[in-house]
Amino acid sequence: MLGFRTLIGRICAIGLLVVAAYSNSSVLAQTTSAPSGTLINSYARVVSISSTTVQLSSSSGFSANSRALIVQMKGASVTRTDGASHGDVTGYNNAGRFEYVKIISISGNVATLETAPAVAFDTGGSVQMVSVPVFDGGTLTQNVVPQAWNGQTGGVVAFDVTGSLTLAANIDATGRGFLGGALAASTPFDSCASDQFNYTGPVQAGTGNKGEGIVPNASAHAARRGHNGNGGGGGNITDAGGGGGGNIGAGGLGGRELDVCDDDGSFGGLGGQTLDYSPNNRLFMGGGGGSGSEVSQAATGGSRAGGGLVFLRVGQLVGAGGQIIADGLSAFADDANGSDGGGAGGAIAVSVVTSLSGSPVFRVTGGDGGDEANTDFAHGTGGGGGGGAIRLFGATCAAITPVISGGAAGTSVLGNNAGDPNWGAADGGPGNCQGNFSVLGQPSPIDPARLNVVKTSSVYTANGASTGFSIPAEDMIYTIVVQNVGGGPAGEDSVFIIDQLPSQLTFFNGDIDDGGPDNFPGSDPVAFIDNGSNLSFDYANDVAFSNQPGMPISFASCTYEPATGYDPAVTYICINPKGVFATPQPTSEFTVALRAKIN
């Protein structure tokens, strides 16, 4: 039998979501680096929105007749005075708001939507557009991750499944959220500092810096112990610890300063504040952990980023060992500086149309604050990151296994000897899980394409010289007819055919009609016949080959150049016709034909 697989581009037309085998290991709160996996989304900064017209920083990865998500990542207003209330949110504005949209056309970097967004997004507040692939269903066996947040785009994984999704691998946004505060620059020890009481200021040597949150960046307020909305505060000098990032769970307070300077005051960074989810129409990435003060050696606090966002709309979700994860990252341990705070958990939003079974694990835990192991002097420890939010629609929290704990505060060897094992640092608060998150909605019928494949074979009779039987030494012509039988078009350039040649056949690399009669146009080894698909085909650019035993994962990985004539080394034939696979009116299909010899 011939192998056939269609890999989908930005709006999916057929088949399983992903099928490559990856290790499915559990991600714990102590994770200090983001996990690896496959990216399925594209991202662009939204420059402006005018009615149905959206100006993007780049339209790469977006196509006509596809779904997308507009998300405002930042934009909250906060108190900026230099006091204990510094960084408190005074207005959320549209931070955390999101909306699904349908793209009907792309021209340059301008996307035209079917309808104007209902949310009045503030494009000065870090608004991005994220592609939303649509899959028929199947088993997820490859870990899926979002692009890491880079200050403007990323941090979000989003896709729709119209049928049933069996979760056998992870959807993992761990550490893809708001960034940890910049590591403090070294400054010589100055016999204890004199500015412990400040809550805000620009970056300066020695002082810890605030983690990123839903507040627009401001260089005048990048440092010191005040929090940054849900971003953890930096530890004040000398050697106080950074605060943990926050989400729906507050970040923990950073630890006290160097013991020879400490007067029992708390100069560690304030934990990122708890965010208000009560309107039930927002989602927030986890705040980044603040960095600790540093006076003697290069700081090594790690990333400490918060968890990102997961948006999943699915017909039926079946747990099979895979997890949905948006944990914050933990801080590294230190032994001569103030340690850093952990990142907060992010947010997971899942809408289920029919059922959710198998009790899959959903994780939004905060990262741990950094430990401190100096055996000469006690230094500041890091605050734990707060837990994130799980929001469900069409299912209850009883149907899943929610893991929502805040991160643990860092520990201190000498602090433990003094009866204060955390040296003033605090754990992050827990997150929570709630149902009835109707703003996420259910997958809408945005006219997804749906492909049907019909394959046939016949003995090739060259000028009547064939026996007419399927026996060794005879040639075969087989055809693959690919039909769009759905209600709409497939995404541009999204159809990728991988045809596995069985070991008992040898591919013929020559004119498919060599020897006559001339049944197919052209003189290439692979023929393409269009019947209403509106796809274009160029043999030189749209056909490639592989001689490897395993199935290629992309067109670019098909790199073998077959020898002229019968080439037994060919194992896979890769075909990627170009254009948008048209909606049936009434027919939309194409035929691929090739020739091989029976061994």
Side-chain angles (χ1 to χ4, degrees), residues 442-468:
Q442 297 179 344
S444 57
I446 302 188
D447 304 328
R450 186 178 298 273
L451 302 192
N452 182 53
V453 180
V454 178
K455 299 203 296 185
T456 60
S457 63
S458 60
V459 176
Y460 179 66
T461 303
N463 291 326
S466 169
T467 64

PDB file of all heavy atoms in Angstrom, residues 442-468:
ATOM      1  N   GLN A 442     -17.194  28.658  21.396  1.00  0.00           N
ATOM      2  CA  GLN A 442     -16.977  27.353  20.789  1.00  0.00           C
ATOM      3  C   GLN A 442     -16.448  27.532  19.372  1.00  0.00           C
ATOM      4  O   GLN A 442     -16.603  28.600  18.780  1.00  0.00           O
ATOM      5  CB  GLN A 442     -18.290  26.566  20.762  1.00  0.00           C
ATOM      6  CG  GLN A 442     -18.846  26.262  22.139  1.00  0.00           C
ATOM      7  CD  GLN A 442     -20.162  25.513  22.073  1.00  0.00           C
ATOM      8  OE1 GLN A 442     -20.802  25.468  21.043  1.00  0.00           O
ATOM      9  NE2 GLN A 442     -20.549  24.911  23.184  1.00  0.00           N
ATOM     10  N   PRO A 443     -15.804  26.498  18.845  1.00  0.00           N
ATOM     11  CA  PRO A 443     -15.322  26.607  17.467  1.00  0.00           C
ATOM     12  C   PRO A 443     -16.470  26.940  16.513  1.00  0.00           C
ATOM     13  O   PRO A 443     -17.481  26.252  16.490  1.00  0.00           O
ATOM     14  CB  PRO A 443     -14.737  25.212  17.183  1.00  0.00           C
ATOM     15  CG  PRO A 443     -14.451  24.638  18.528  1.00  0.00           C
ATOM     16  CD  PRO A 443     -15.494  25.204  19.446  1.00  0.00           C
ATOM     17  N   SER A 444     -16.331  28.004  15.783  1.00  0.00           N
ATOM     18  CA  SER A 444     -17.374  28.412  14.846  1.00  0.00           C
ATOM     19  C   SER A 444     -17.124  27.788  13.483  1.00  0.00           C
ATOM     20  O   SER A 444     -15.982  27.514  13.119  1.00  0.00           O
ATOM     21  CB  SER A 444     -17.403  29.937  14.717  1.00  0.00           C
ATOM     22  OG  SER A 444     -16.136  30.420  14.300  1.00  0.00           O
ATOM     23  N   PRO A 445     -18.159  27.535  12.709  1.00  0.00           N
ATOM     24  CA  PRO A 445     -17.975  26.925  11.392  1.00  0.00           C
ATOM     25  C   PRO A 445     -17.473  27.946  10.385  1.00  0.00           C
ATOM     26  O   PRO A 445     -18.228  28.500   9.585  1.00  0.00           O
ATOM     27  CB  PRO A 445     -19.382  26.433  11.035  1.00  0.00           C
ATOM     28  CG  PRO A 445     -20.292  27.377  11.753  1.00  0.00           C
ATOM     29  CD  PRO A 445     -19.590  27.750  13.030  1.00  0.00           C
ATOM     30  N   ILE A 446     -16.174  28.260  10.444  1.00  0.00           N
ATOM     31  CA  ILE A 446     -15.608  29.234   9.510  1.00  0.00           C
ATOM     32  C   ILE A 446     -15.189  28.492   8.249  1.00  0.00           C
ATOM     33  O   ILE A 446     -14.045  28.497   7.823  1.00  0.00           O
ATOM     34  CB  ILE A 446     -14.436  30.008  10.147  1.00  0.00           C
ATOM     35  CG1 ILE A 446     -14.890  30.715  11.416  1.00  0.00           C
ATOM     36  CG2 ILE A 446     -13.842  31.007   9.194  1.00  0.00           C
ATOM     37  CD1 ILE A 446     -13.891  31.647  12.019  1.00  0.00           C
ATOM     38  N   ASP A 447     -16.119  27.765   7.688  1.00  0.00           N
ATOM     39  CA  ASP A 447     -15.947  27.125   6.391  1.00  0.00           C
ATOM     40  C   ASP A 447     -14.620  26.392   6.254  1.00  0.00           C
ATOM     41  O   ASP A 447     -13.848  26.666   5.334  1.00  0.00           O
ATOM     42  CB  ASP A 447     -16.058  28.177   5.265  1.00  0.00           C
ATOM     43  CG  ASP A 447     -17.350  28.943   5.323  1.00  0.00           C
ATOM     44  OD1 ASP A 447     -18.355  28.348   5.742  1.00  0.00           O
ATOM     45  OD2 ASP A 447     -17.359  30.124   4.965  1.00  0.00           O
ATOM     46  N   PRO A 448     -14.310  25.459   7.157  1.00  0.00           N
ATOM     47  CA  PRO A 448     -13.027  24.777   7.015  1.00  0.00           C
ATOM     48  C   PRO A 448     -13.021  23.871   5.806  1.00  0.00           C
ATOM     49  O   PRO A 448     -14.039  23.290   5.433  1.00  0.00           O
ATOM     50  CB  PRO A 448     -12.920  23.958   8.309  1.00  0.00           C
ATOM     51  CG  PRO A 448     -14.338  23.706   8.694  1.00  0.00           C
ATOM     52  CD  PRO A 448     -15.095  24.936   8.287  1.00  0.00           C
ATOM     53  N   ALA A 449     -11.848  23.769   5.189  1.00  0.00           N
ATOM     54  CA  ALA A 449     -11.687  22.795   4.119  1.00  0.00           C
ATOM     55  C   ALA A 449     -11.640  21.401   4.730  1.00  0.00           C
ATOM     56  O   ALA A 449     -11.298  21.217   5.889  1.00  0.00           O
ATOM     57  CB  ALA A 449     -10.402  23.080   3.356  1.00  0.00           C
ATOM     58  N   ARG A 450     -11.994  20.415   3.940  1.00  0.00           N
ATOM     59  CA  ARG A 450     -11.902  19.020   4.379  1.00  0.00           C
ATOM     60  C   ARG A 450     -11.499  18.197   3.150  1.00  0.00           C
ATOM     61  O   ARG A 450     -12.144  18.275   2.120  1.00  0.00           O
ATOM     62  CB  ARG A 450     -13.238  18.548   4.945  1.00  0.00           C
ATOM     63  CG  ARG A 450     -13.184  17.149   5.561  1.00  0.00           C
ATOM     64  CD  ARG A 450     -14.542  16.788   6.140  1.00  0.00           C
ATOM     65  NE  ARG A 450     -14.925  17.694   7.192  1.00  0.00           N
ATOM     66  CZ  ARG A 450     -14.590  17.545   8.469  1.00  0.00           C
ATOM     67  NH1 ARG A 450     -13.858  16.513   8.827  1.00  0.00           N
ATOM     68  NH2 ARG A 450     -15.007  18.406   9.374  1.00  0.00           N
ATOM     69  N   LEU A 451     -10.408  17.456   3.293  1.00  0.00           N
ATOM     70  CA  LEU A 451      -9.871  16.749   2.145  1.00  0.00           C
ATOM     71  C   LEU A 451     -10.262  15.278   2.152  1.00  0.00           C
ATOM     72  O   LEU A 451     -10.326  14.641   3.202  1.00  0.00           O
ATOM     73  CB  LEU A 451      -8.344  16.853   2.106  1.00  0.00           C
ATOM     74  CG  LEU A 451      -7.740  18.258   2.050  1.00  0.00           C
ATOM     75  CD1 LEU A 451      -6.267  18.176   1.731  1.00  0.00           C
ATOM     76  CD2 LEU A 451      -8.462  19.147   1.061  1.00  0.00           C
ATOM     77  N   ASN A 452     -10.506  14.765   0.960  1.00  0.00           N
ATOM     78  CA  ASN A 452     -10.777  13.354   0.740  1.00  0.00           C
ATOM     79  C   ASN A 452      -9.753  12.858  -0.285  1.00  0.00           C
ATOM     80  O   ASN A 452      -9.444  13.556  -1.251  1.00  0.00           O
ATOM     81  CB  ASN A 452     -12.203  13.155   0.220  1.00  0.00           C
ATOM     82  CG  ASN A 452     -12.541  11.692   0.036  1.00  0.00           C
ATOM     83  OD1 ASN A 452     -12.384  10.909   0.960  1.00  0.00           O
ATOM     84  ND2 ASN A 452     -13.003  11.334  -1.156  1.00  0.00           N
ATOM     85  N   VAL A 453      -9.222  11.671  -0.061  1.00  0.00           N
ATOM     86  CA  VAL A 453      -8.168  11.133  -0.926  1.00  0.00           C
ATOM     87  C   VAL A 453      -8.622   9.819  -1.545  1.00  0.00           C
ATOM     88  O   VAL A 453      -9.095   8.926  -0.830  1.00  0.00           O
ATOM     89  CB  VAL A 453      -6.864  10.919  -0.126  1.00  0.00           C
ATOM     90  CG1 VAL A 453      -5.782  10.350  -1.040  1.00  0.00           C
ATOM     91  CG2 VAL A 453      -6.403  12.223   0.506  1.00  0.00           C
ATOM     92  N   VAL A 454      -8.488   9.709  -2.861  1.00  0.00           N
ATOM     93  CA  VAL A 454      -8.814   8.478  -3.574  1.00  0.00           C
ATOM     94  C   VAL A 454      -7.576   8.058  -4.358  1.00  0.00           C
ATOM     95  O   VAL A 454      -7.044   8.840  -5.156  1.00  0.00           O
ATOM     96  CB  VAL A 454     -10.004   8.684  -4.538  1.00  0.00           C
ATOM     97  CG1 VAL A 454     -10.287   7.395  -5.305  1.00  0.00           C
ATOM     98  CG2 VAL A 454     -11.234   9.152  -3.778  1.00  0.00           C
ATOM     99  N   LYS A 455      -7.110   6.820  -4.129  1.00  0.00           N
ATOM    100  CA  LYS A 455      -5.906   6.352  -4.816  1.00  0.00           C
ATOM    101  C   LYS A 455      -6.237   5.113  -5.649  1.00  0.00           C
ATOM    102  O   LYS A 455      -6.942   4.210  -5.203  1.00  0.00           O
ATOM    103  CB  LYS A 455      -4.807   6.013  -3.814  1.00  0.00           C
ATOM    104  CG  LYS A 455      -4.388   7.218  -2.978  1.00  0.00           C
ATOM    105  CD  LYS A 455      -2.996   7.067  -2.413  1.00  0.00           C
ATOM    106  CE  LYS A 455      -2.892   5.912  -1.451  1.00  0.00           C
ATOM    107  NZ  LYS A 455      -1.546   5.868  -0.832  1.00  0.00           N
ATOM    108  N   THR A 456      -5.725   5.090  -6.862  1.00  0.00           N
ATOM    109  CA  THR A 456      -5.931   3.957  -7.767  1.00  0.00           C
ATOM    110  C   THR A 456      -4.601   3.620  -8.446  1.00  0.00           C
ATOM    111  O   THR A 456      -3.674   4.442  -8.476  1.00  0.00           O
ATOM    112  CB  THR A 456      -6.973   4.287  -8.845  1.00  0.00           C
ATOM    113  OG1 THR A 456      -6.530   5.409  -9.623  1.00  0.00           O
ATOM    114  CG2 THR A 456      -8.317   4.613  -8.222  1.00  0.00           C
ATOM    115  N   SER A 457      -4.517   2.429  -8.981  1.00  0.00           N
ATOM    116  CA  SER A 457      -3.309   2.027  -9.714  1.00  0.00           C
ATOM    117  C   SER A 457      -3.718   1.158 -10.904  1.00  0.00           C
ATOM    118  O   SER A 457      -4.775   0.517 -10.899  1.00  0.00           O
ATOM    119  CB  SER A 457      -2.345   1.257  -8.808  1.00  0.00           C
ATOM    120  OG  SER A 457      -2.922   0.055  -8.353  1.00  0.00           O
ATOM    121  N   SER A 458      -2.854   1.137 -11.926  1.00  0.00           N
ATOM    122  CA  SER A 458      -3.117   0.314 -13.115  1.00  0.00           C
ATOM    123  C   SER A 458      -1.783  -0.049 -13.755  1.00  0.00           C
ATOM    124  O   SER A 458      -0.788   0.669 -13.619  1.00  0.00           O
ATOM    125  CB  SER A 458      -3.992   1.077 -14.123  1.00  0.00           C
ATOM    126  OG  SER A 458      -3.349   2.263 -14.538  1.00  0.00           O
ATOM    127  N   VAL A 459      -1.772  -1.178 -14.445  1.00  0.00           N
ATOM    128  CA  VAL A 459      -0.567  -1.597 -15.154  1.00  0.00           C
ATOM    129  C   VAL A 459      -0.333  -0.661 -16.330  1.00  0.00           C
ATOM    130  O   VAL A 459      -1.274  -0.306 -17.057  1.00  0.00           O
ATOM    131  CB  VAL A 459      -0.706  -3.053 -15.641  1.00  0.00           C
ATOM    132  CG1 VAL A 459       0.509  -3.469 -16.460  1.00  0.00           C
ATOM    133  CG2 VAL A 459      -0.888  -3.978 -14.454  1.00  0.00           C
ATOM    134  N   TYR A 460       0.929  -0.216 -16.493  1.00  0.00           N
ATOM    135  CA  TYR A 460       1.250   0.679 -17.604  1.00  0.00           C
ATOM    136  C   TYR A 460       1.557  -0.149 -18.845  1.00  0.00           C
ATOM    137  O   TYR A 460       2.426  -1.024 -18.825  1.00  0.00           O
ATOM    138  CB  TYR A 460       2.448   1.545 -17.253  1.00  0.00           C
ATOM    139  CG  TYR A 460       2.849   2.475 -18.366  1.00  0.00           C
ATOM    140  CD1 TYR A 460       2.004   3.513 -18.765  1.00  0.00           C
ATOM    141  CD2 TYR A 460       4.049   2.311 -19.037  1.00  0.00           C
ATOM    142  CE1 TYR A 460       2.357   4.373 -19.793  1.00  0.00           C
ATOM    143  CE2 TYR A 460       4.417   3.154 -20.062  1.00  0.00           C
ATOM    144  CZ  TYR A 460       3.570   4.177 -20.436  1.00  0.00           C
ATOM    145  OH  TYR A 460       3.912   5.034 -21.454  1.00  0.00           O
ATOM    146  N   THR A 461       0.842   0.105 -19.904  1.00  0.00           N
ATOM    147  CA  THR A 461       1.034  -0.611 -21.165  1.00  0.00           C
ATOM    148  C   THR A 461       1.719   0.319 -22.162  1.00  0.00           C
ATOM    149  O   THR A 461       1.098   1.244 -22.692  1.00  0.00           O
ATOM    150  CB  THR A 461      -0.308  -1.089 -21.734  1.00  0.00           C
ATOM    151  OG1 THR A 461      -0.959  -1.919 -20.776  1.00  0.00           O
ATOM    152  CG2 THR A 461      -0.094  -1.864 -23.032  1.00  0.00           C
ATOM    153  N   ALA A 462       3.002   0.119 -22.372  1.00  0.00           N
ATOM    154  CA  ALA A 462       3.765   0.957 -23.300  1.00  0.00           C
ATOM    155  C   ALA A 462       3.631   0.384 -24.702  1.00  0.00           C
ATOM    156  O   ALA A 462       4.201  -0.665 -25.024  1.00  0.00           O
ATOM    157  CB  ALA A 462       5.234   0.995 -22.894  1.00  0.00           C
ATOM    158  N   ASN A 463       2.827   1.072 -25.531  1.00  0.00           N
ATOM    159  CA  ASN A 463       2.602   0.651 -26.920  1.00  0.00           C
ATOM    160  C   ASN A 463       2.202  -0.820 -27.019  1.00  0.00           C
ATOM    161  O   ASN A 463       2.625  -1.554 -27.914  1.00  0.00           O
ATOM    162  CB  ASN A 463       3.855   0.912 -27.768  1.00  0.00           C
ATOM    163  CG  ASN A 463       4.099   2.392 -27.959  1.00  0.00           C
ATOM    164  OD1 ASN A 463       3.155   3.173 -28.049  1.00  0.00           O
ATOM    165  ND2 ASN A 463       5.378   2.781 -28.010  1.00  0.00           N
ATOM    166  N   GLY A 464       1.398  -1.269 -26.054  1.00  0.00           N
ATOM    167  CA  GLY A 464       0.877  -2.625 -26.099  1.00  0.00           C
ATOM    168  C   GLY A 464       1.862  -3.707 -25.709  1.00  0.00           C
ATOM    169  O   GLY A 464       1.569  -4.896 -25.857  1.00  0.00           O
ATOM    170  N   ALA A 465       3.050  -3.315 -25.188  1.00  0.00           N
ATOM    171  CA  ALA A 465       4.078  -4.316 -24.892  1.00  0.00           C
ATOM    172  C   ALA A 465       3.900  -4.970 -23.532  1.00  0.00           C
ATOM    173  O   ALA A 465       4.579  -5.939 -23.214  1.00  0.00           O
ATOM    174  CB  ALA A 465       5.463  -3.665 -24.941  1.00  0.00           C
ATOM    175  N   SER A 466       2.995  -4.485 -22.703  1.00  0.00           N
ATOM    176  CA  SER A 466       2.818  -5.026 -21.361  1.00  0.00           C
ATOM    177  C   SER A 466       2.009  -6.310 -21.386  1.00  0.00           C
ATOM    178  O   SER A 466       1.197  -6.547 -22.280  1.00  0.00           O
ATOM    179  CB  SER A 466       2.117  -3.994 -20.465  1.00  0.00           C
ATOM    180  OG  SER A 466       1.725  -4.584 -19.246  1.00  0.00           O
ATOM    181  N   THR A 467       2.232  -7.134 -20.355  1.00  0.00           N
ATOM    182  CA  THR A 467       1.425  -8.345 -20.203  1.00  0.00           C
ATOM    183  C   THR A 467       0.034  -8.030 -19.691  1.00  0.00           C
ATOM    184  O   THR A 467      -0.884  -8.850 -19.796  1.00  0.00           O
ATOM    185  CB  THR A 467       2.090  -9.312 -19.206  1.00  0.00           C
ATOM    186  OG1 THR A 467       2.119  -8.696 -17.910  1.00  0.00           O
ATOM    187  CG2 THR A 467       3.507  -9.667 -19.637  1.00  0.00           C
ATOM    188  N   GLY A 468      -0.114  -6.847 -19.082  1.00  0.00           N
ATOM    189  CA  GLY A 468      -1.397  -6.474 -18.510  1.00  0.00           C
ATOM    190  C   GLY A 468      -1.608  -7.006 -17.110  1.00  0.00           C
ATOM    191  O   GLY A 468      -2.676  -6.803 -16.535  1.00  0.00           O
TER     192      GLY A 468
END
